[in-house]
Amino acid sequence: MLWLGVALVGALVLTSSAMATEITPAIRSELAPSGKLRVGLNHGNFLLVTPGSSATDPRGVAPTWPRARPRVGVPVEFIRFRTPPASSATE
């Protein structure tokens, strides 16, 4: 049981130090070259996006991660896709 406590404390220390890392302008421009972090969501999968949520303000597991990344320093733009193949189609 002690090893589990030590492992949890170690994980907490490692993740808290990783969260403190600032993003450089070069990385920011790689992640969001248009000034927005564009995130494609598969609205056809109810496990990822809550059914009935809007395209501009989606709810569920998948939209939570991009919203939790304020360190990037750019707004998030959600792109709605009805199926996984649609999200990988080229324009």
Side-chain angles (χ1 to χ4, degrees):
M1 188 66 155
L2 178 61
W3 66 269
L4 181 61
V6 171
L8 288 174
V9 169
L12 177 66
V13 168
L14 288 174
T15 53
S16 65
S17 65
M19 288 184 204
T21 305
E22 289 296 317
I23 292 182
T24 64
I27 293 173
R28 185 175 293 116
S29 69
E30 283 285 324
L31 289 172
S34 67
K36 295 183 240 178
L37 183 60
R38 297 180 73 217
V39 178
L41 295 176
N42 174 12
H43 280 254
N45 187 335
F46 68 91
L47 296 174
L48 299 175
V49 181
T50 304
S53 64
S54 71
T56 56
D57 189 27
R59 299 285 171 222
V61 175
T64 301
W65 182 83
R67 287 187 180 120
R69 301 287 169 231
R71 295 181 306 148
V72 177
V74 295
V76 176
E77 176 186 4
F78 292 105
I79 311 298
R80 181 183 184 136
F81 295 101
R82 295 195 187 279
T83 64
S87 66
S88 62
T90 58
E91 293 181 20

